[in-house]
Amino acid sequence: MTTITSTAILLVTTAILSGEPEGFPFDLPATKPDRPLSLAMQRLYDAYPGPSPEDNELYSTFKFTPLEGLDYNNGDGTICRRDPSKVIRANGKYYVWYTKRDTPTPPQGAAGGTDTIPSADWDLADIWYATSEDGFKWTEQGVAIPRPPKPQVGWRSVSTTDILVWEGKYYLYYQGFKEMSGKRGDDCPVTASVADSPDGPWTPAGKVIIDNGAPGDWDQFSIHDPYPLVYKGKIYLYYKSDCDGDPVIIRMHGLATADHPFGPFTKCPLNPIMNSGHETTLFPFKEGIAAFSIHNGIEHNTIQYAPDGINFSIAAVSSLMPVAAGPYVPDAFTDTKDGRGITWGISHIAHVGEAGKKHSILARFDCDLSQDLNDLAMKQTDLYLKPEEYFSQGLNKSQRDRIQKANEQPSPNK
Ligand code: AAL
């Protein structure tokens, strides 16, 4: 009898006697099995909230729907709407605030920008707001925060806002540009305004609320995407900064906390608290905070979780994540100890329209990142794109030239 046969008989006999399959079981165990596991299988059980997409409450795909009721001048690039706030519900309807630029021309870059010509999509912008009964059809209500007179913070542009409801008052945080975006970089601090009603009128703090970092610090030039939540009895304001830039800008996220909406804010000594991502999107989840890490950085396209609101790890890898997502977060300000999660919100789609007329538009996204929903259709991982969508991501000229040159090399195999 060969060794292989006797070994096989031994393995089968052992398995039968122990009642356990010798190989990894066909039915995926719901919890980590007590057996030798490869690093990948250890990670499956140790690193994620569940061992499969449908078991992972912090995994979801995203579905997108055009918004009704917002006009973009036939897409000529003179109007953009972007970087929406979180959605809140008040007075029996939904509210969202966002950057709106309405300029005589599309953006012309820093070299082409003037007092009336924008350098970037978010230059020469104001903060507008809209309301909706259903989250699909929106009515633009008007300007919430206009640019203040020079030299006040935000005189050049106010953009990228988010909302905080605190002790019955409403606070909007936003980027306050004191120079044209793109002169050195996309440089700005954050300021804020307060109102007794989501419909305003808004009173500016008239000062910088989140300062730029000290010279040489990662956040010395830009404090972007202010995103307040109420957590552990304080205001947790997450933000993004752009740093490095040699050769590519690195975008990471920071945290600043305060006991009052106008500060003083204290930056987390562990900043940056996320190593990737771009616009900030976060929500209370169970005892911690969940976050989107989108389109930049080594951990882009991930949904992350920090049980303490500070130390984030990857909870799921996703795809086609909403950009600059402002979710509807019912428990954003309740200081909850059991965050329920999110199912929809407003995001933006940038670079819309033909060359020279590029602008951003708002869209609705839906997902299942909620403890109170179990929509398996949102947990599918396959993303079926049309061929033209693949071919739209084509090779550039230098890549084609490189391939052509390689084709002309003599074959090493003769
Ligand atoms: C956005 C945000 C900030 C940046 C610019 C407008 O996506 O990251 O707001 O300043 O781009």
PDB file of all heavy atoms in Angstrom, residues 189-201:
ATOM      1  N   PRO A 189      -8.238  78.389   6.080  1.00  0.00           N
ATOM      2  CA  PRO A 189      -8.637  77.897   7.398  1.00  0.00           C
ATOM      3  C   PRO A 189     -10.130  77.595   7.370  1.00  0.00           C
ATOM      4  O   PRO A 189     -10.769  77.652   6.308  1.00  0.00           O
ATOM      5  CB  PRO A 189      -8.333  79.100   8.289  1.00  0.00           C
ATOM      6  CG  PRO A 189      -8.658  80.258   7.415  1.00  0.00           C
ATOM      7  CD  PRO A 189      -8.327  79.848   5.996  1.00  0.00           C
ATOM      8  N   VAL A 190     -10.692  77.332   8.565  1.00  0.00           N
ATOM      9  CA  VAL A 190     -12.135  77.082   8.675  1.00  0.00           C
ATOM     10  C   VAL A 190     -12.746  78.127   9.597  1.00  0.00           C
ATOM     11  O   VAL A 190     -12.179  78.448  10.648  1.00  0.00           O
ATOM     12  CB  VAL A 190     -12.409  75.657   9.216  1.00  0.00           C
ATOM     13  CG1 VAL A 190     -13.797  75.520   9.827  1.00  0.00           C
ATOM     14  CG2 VAL A 190     -12.238  74.632   8.093  1.00  0.00           C
ATOM     15  N   THR A 191     -13.911  78.650   9.204  1.00  0.00           N
ATOM     16  CA  THR A 191     -14.665  79.552  10.070  1.00  0.00           C
ATOM     17  C   THR A 191     -16.072  78.997  10.213  1.00  0.00           C
ATOM     18  O   THR A 191     -16.359  77.883   9.766  1.00  0.00           O
ATOM     19  CB  THR A 191     -14.649  80.989   9.505  1.00  0.00           C
ATOM     20  OG1 THR A 191     -15.300  81.851  10.448  1.00  0.00           O
ATOM     21  CG2 THR A 191     -15.309  81.078   8.151  1.00  0.00           C
ATOM     22  N   ALA A 192     -16.986  79.778  10.851  1.00  0.00           N
ATOM     23  CA  ALA A 192     -18.325  79.228  11.108  1.00  0.00           C
ATOM     24  C   ALA A 192     -19.334  80.354  11.318  1.00  0.00           C
ATOM     25  O   ALA A 192     -18.953  81.518  11.519  1.00  0.00           O
ATOM     26  CB  ALA A 192     -18.298  78.320  12.344  1.00  0.00           C
ATOM     27  N   SER A 193     -20.624  79.981  11.246  1.00  0.00           N
ATOM     28  CA  SER A 193     -21.721  80.909  11.519  1.00  0.00           C
ATOM     29  C   SER A 193     -22.782  80.181  12.337  1.00  0.00           C
ATOM     30  O   SER A 193     -22.819  78.948  12.353  1.00  0.00           O
ATOM     31  CB  SER A 193     -22.338  81.417  10.209  1.00  0.00           C
ATOM     32  OG  SER A 193     -21.428  82.236   9.511  1.00  0.00           O
ATOM     33  N   VAL A 194     -23.645  80.948  12.996  1.00  0.00           N
ATOM     34  CA  VAL A 194     -24.671  80.361  13.862  1.00  0.00           C
ATOM     35  C   VAL A 194     -26.033  80.952  13.514  1.00  0.00           C
ATOM     36  O   VAL A 194     -26.134  82.096  13.050  1.00  0.00           O
ATOM     37  CB  VAL A 194     -24.350  80.620  15.358  1.00  0.00           C
ATOM     38  CG1 VAL A 194     -24.246  82.115  15.641  1.00  0.00           C
ATOM     39  CG2 VAL A 194     -25.374  79.951  16.273  1.00  0.00           C
ATOM     40  N   ALA A 195     -27.092  80.127  13.735  1.00  0.00           N
ATOM     41  CA  ALA A 195     -28.460  80.615  13.493  1.00  0.00           C
ATOM     42  C   ALA A 195     -29.404  79.919  14.472  1.00  0.00           C
ATOM     43  O   ALA A 195     -29.116  78.835  14.983  1.00  0.00           O
ATOM     44  CB  ALA A 195     -28.879  80.310  12.052  1.00  0.00           C
ATOM     45  N   ASP A 196     -30.558  80.544  14.706  1.00  0.00           N
ATOM     46  CA  ASP A 196     -31.572  79.920  15.566  1.00  0.00           C
ATOM     47  C   ASP A 196     -32.474  78.985  14.770  1.00  0.00           C
ATOM     48  O   ASP A 196     -33.266  78.238  15.357  1.00  0.00           O
ATOM     49  CB  ASP A 196     -32.433  81.001  16.233  1.00  0.00           C
ATOM     50  CG  ASP A 196     -31.612  81.822  17.232  1.00  0.00           C
ATOM     51  OD1 ASP A 196     -30.724  81.210  17.883  1.00  0.00           O
ATOM     52  OD2 ASP A 196     -31.810  83.051  17.313  1.00  0.00           O
ATOM     53  N   SER A 197     -32.379  79.068  13.435  1.00  0.00           N
ATOM     54  CA  SER A 197     -33.229  78.265  12.568  1.00  0.00           C
ATOM     55  C   SER A 197     -32.390  77.742  11.407  1.00  0.00           C
ATOM     56  O   SER A 197     -31.458  78.417  10.970  1.00  0.00           O
ATOM     57  CB  SER A 197     -34.377  79.115  11.997  1.00  0.00           C
ATOM     58  OG  SER A 197     -34.869  78.546  10.794  1.00  0.00           O
ATOM     59  N   PRO A 198     -32.720  76.569  10.875  1.00  0.00           N
ATOM     60  CA  PRO A 198     -31.961  76.089   9.706  1.00  0.00           C
ATOM     61  C   PRO A 198     -32.160  76.994   8.489  1.00  0.00           C
ATOM     62  O   PRO A 198     -31.375  76.952   7.550  1.00  0.00           O
ATOM     63  CB  PRO A 198     -32.541  74.693   9.455  1.00  0.00           C
ATOM     64  CG  PRO A 198     -33.860  74.674  10.132  1.00  0.00           C
ATOM     65  CD  PRO A 198     -33.753  75.612  11.298  1.00  0.00           C
ATOM     66  N   ASP A 199     -33.193  77.844   8.550  1.00  0.00           N
ATOM     67  CA  ASP A 199     -33.436  78.782   7.441  1.00  0.00           C
ATOM     68  C   ASP A 199     -32.727  80.116   7.643  1.00  0.00           C
ATOM     69  O   ASP A 199     -32.922  81.052   6.846  1.00  0.00           O
ATOM     70  CB  ASP A 199     -34.940  79.014   7.292  1.00  0.00           C
ATOM     71  CG  ASP A 199     -35.666  77.734   6.876  1.00  0.00           C
ATOM     72  OD1 ASP A 199     -35.426  77.259   5.747  1.00  0.00           O
ATOM     73  OD2 ASP A 199     -36.401  77.173   7.723  1.00  0.00           O
ATOM     74  N   GLY A 200     -31.911  80.185   8.722  1.00  0.00           N
ATOM     75  CA  GLY A 200     -31.180  81.421   9.006  1.00  0.00           C
ATOM     76  C   GLY A 200     -32.080  82.416   9.738  1.00  0.00           C
ATOM     77  O   GLY A 200     -33.135  82.042  10.225  1.00  0.00           O
ATOM     78  N   PRO A 201     -31.668  83.698   9.834  1.00  0.00           N
ATOM     79  CA  PRO A 201     -30.400  84.252   9.311  1.00  0.00           C
ATOM     80  C   PRO A 201     -29.192  83.788  10.103  1.00  0.00           C
ATOM     81  O   PRO A 201     -29.310  83.452  11.274  1.00  0.00           O
ATOM     82  CB  PRO A 201     -30.600  85.765   9.449  1.00  0.00           C
ATOM     83  CG  PRO A 201     -31.513  85.911  10.631  1.00  0.00           C
ATOM     84  CD  PRO A 201     -32.451  84.707  10.573  1.00  0.00           C
TER      85      PRO A 201
END
